[in-house]
Structure formats: structure tokens, C-alpha cells
Amino acid sequence: MTRRVALITGGTRGIGLGIARSLADSGYALALNGMRPEQGVADVLAELRLRTDVHYCPGDVSSASDRKSMLDTTLDRFGAVDVLVNNAGITSPGRKDILEADEEAFDRVVGVNLKGPFFLTKAVANWMSSNPQPTADADGPKSPPPRRCIINISSISSEFVSVNRGDYCLTKAATRMATKLWAARLAEFAIDVFEIQPGVIRSDMTAGVTEKYDRLLAEGLTLDRRWGEPADIGRAAAMLARGDLPYATGQVLKLDGGMTIRVL
């Protein structure tokens, strides 16, 4: 099979890096987006380049011009996008109580977590639908390649209320509907859309609350009493990208250690 290509936003740290590593190990070439300059992620890129072909696309997913640049440069480099992973996201700046919510911060969170992924999905989906993939490999066995797919990374904060992160919770809840909308719209083009809903994952975003969650996990916050790791999310994303979960477009995978299961 011609090497398939995955575009991952926020792909050089935390959950995004876990996904990048798993997709590289599954044979994908990677276009990785991030906010840092390329020299700031040189070590990560060097590590991944030992596994696969990697292109770095710096930019802010909330910016229309940056989104266009990351897609254009990915197509220039690889000629295709077979998987889009909408992973880039930010938490609520300052974690203010919703009674003290800041409108500028709200707009920033919505721009990165919701508007940006929505319009990047639109751009990638339009390219995918206008450039159907071959129904079988040109060389080798005549088996169809995996369907193209779009994977949205949301959060248990789509269901759990945090009154000091209202804007973040709202964007993650809206991601559930965005997944359904795109799954319905893109089905005719054989493009699957999935959502991964992580629980408490060890990452930059949770580094400041490590002590809190160490205690809660020990007290039984989750059935599997451990932190989730970026590699856990990466393995799930690779499964979806490879087509190992067919006939399931629009579905959400909860990787939360059983946190959302109610137990009496």
C-alpha cells in the first residue's frame, strides 16, 4: 500500500504525540501541527523521523490562514490526507468561575477547541470528497485500503461539570454533535468520523493538578485506578485509522478507565 498520511493538530506533545507515535508505528506518514517553532520541537521530530516521514506545520488552528497553510503544505509534501486527527485544544485560561467568565478568554477557547477543528474538518473533507482514494492498491493484493477517517479528540468534560472551566466544557460537549454532523454528511463519500473521549490523561494540560488526581484516583475515581497515558489514546486512534472498527461511523470511544460508569 502507498504510505497513508495523517494530519494531527497538536501532534508534538501530550495526547497528540501519543497518537503520532502509534500512527507512525502503523505505517503512516505524519503531518504534525503545533504552536511552537520547529526548533522547539526538534527532538520530537527527530524521534518520529526514525519511524516514518514527518512534516511539521506550525500554526494556530483557530486562524483561517494557518489552517489553509497546514493543509496546503501537507498536500504539497505528501499529496494526500487520509486521516485527520483534531486534537489541538486548550483549557480555560485562568480557570475562572463562570460567574467571573472572561469574554476574550471564552472566544479563545471556542476558537481553538471548536471553530478551528470544525473549519479544518470542512477543508480536509472537501479535499477528500473531491479526491476519492483508489479502491485497491496499485501493486500487490487487490484489497481495498482502509476508509479515510476524521477523529475528534474530546474529553470527559463534555459530560462532567467544572464550573471553573465552563468554556472548555461547552466546547467538548459541542464536539459530540460535530462528530455526528460530519459522520452524517460524509457517509456518502465513505469517510468515517469518530470521537475519542479521554478521561484523566497524564499530559501538559493536567500537570498542574497531578496531586489532586493522584488522590482521587487512589480513592476510586476510576474503576482502573491509574492515570490514562497518551499511548492509550494513541492505540485507539491507530485502531480507528487502520479500519479495525468498521461499521461504526459517528461513534464515541470512552477511554476513561471506567470513570463514567455509575456504581452503587
Side-chain angles (χ1 to χ4, degrees):
M1 185 186 302
T2 301
R3 176 165 287 187
R4 293 167 63 78
V5 180
L7 169 58
I8 307 171
T9 64
T12 60
R13 67 201 313 170
I15 289 174
L17 179 55
I19 294 171
R21 286 170 173 153
S22 289
L23 288 179
D25 290 343
S26 291
Y28 279 77
L30 302 176
L32 302 180
N33 156 256
M35 289 286 288
R36 291 175 288 176
E38 187 161 355
Q39 59 267 30
V41 294
D43 290 348
V44 169
L45 298 179
E47 173 210 326
L48 291 170
R49 283 170 177 150
L50 295 175
R51 311 184 192 200
T52 190
D53 194 1
V54 179
H55 173 60
Y56 184 59
C57 326
D60 183 345
V61 72
S62 70
S63 162
S65 60
D66 285 4
R67 291 193 301 270
K68 183 177 187 303
S69 176
M70 71 178 73
L71 178 56
D72 288 348
T73 60
T74 298
L75 294 174
D76 287 345
R77 175 68 177 270
F78 297 118
V81 176
D82 299 293
V83 175
L84 168 64
V85 182
N86 286 311
N87 167 74
I90 60 172
T91 192
S92 182
R95 294 175 177 259
K96 293 183 178 180
D97 186 287
I98 55 176
L99 288 174
E100 302 173 356
D102 178 89
E103 191 166 345
E104 183 178 353
F106 185 97
D107 289 343
R108 176 64 180 154
V109 174
V110 170
V112 174
N113 293 3
L114 184 60
K115 186 186 82 170
F118 182 88
F119 285 101
L120 182 58
T121 297
K122 173 190 171 184
V124 171
N126 275 312
W127 183 88
M128 287 179 173
S129 62
S130 299
N131 296 271
Q133 64 180 353
T135 56
D137 301 330
D139 301 312
K142 298 300 181 181
S143 58
R147 289 159 64 104
R148 287 175 171 153
C149 72
I150 294 164
I151 303 171
N152 294 322
I153 307 301
S154 63
S155 168
I156 55 166
S157 291
S158 66
E159 300 182 30
F160 283 73
V161 169
S162 296
V163 296
N164 63 333
R165 295 187 303 144
D167 42 13
Y168 181 80
C169 294
L170 287 168
T171 60
K172 294 306 179 180
T175 298
R176 177 83 278 259
M177 179 54 71
T179 300
K180 294 178 180 180
L181 286 166
W182 287 116
R185 185 64 185 90
L186 300 179
E188 67 179 278
F189 304 110
I191 300 169
D192 290 333
V193 184
F194 302 105
E195 178 182 343
I196 297 176
Q197 189 183 97
V200 181
I201 307 298
R202 197 187 310 275
S203 69
D204 295 346
M205 188 177 290
T206 55
V209 289
T210 297
E211 184 177 346
K212 169 186 174 181
Y213 281 107
D214 281 344
R215 173 176 53 81
L216 290 174
L217 289 166
E219 293 173 352
L221 177 67
T222 58
L223 301 182
D224 189 352
R225 296 190 182 190
R226 69 171 177 89
W227 282 82
E229 301 292 342
D232 297 326
I233 313 304
R235 291 174 65 183
M239 173 192 69
L240 296 174
R242 291 192 305 262
D244 293 348
L245 190 67
Y247 205 55
T249 189
Q251 298 305 304
V252 56
L253 296 183
K254 294 188 177 186
L255 274 65
D256 61 6
M259 184 175 175
T260 50
I261 295 176
R262 294 183 174 184
V263 180
L264 291 176

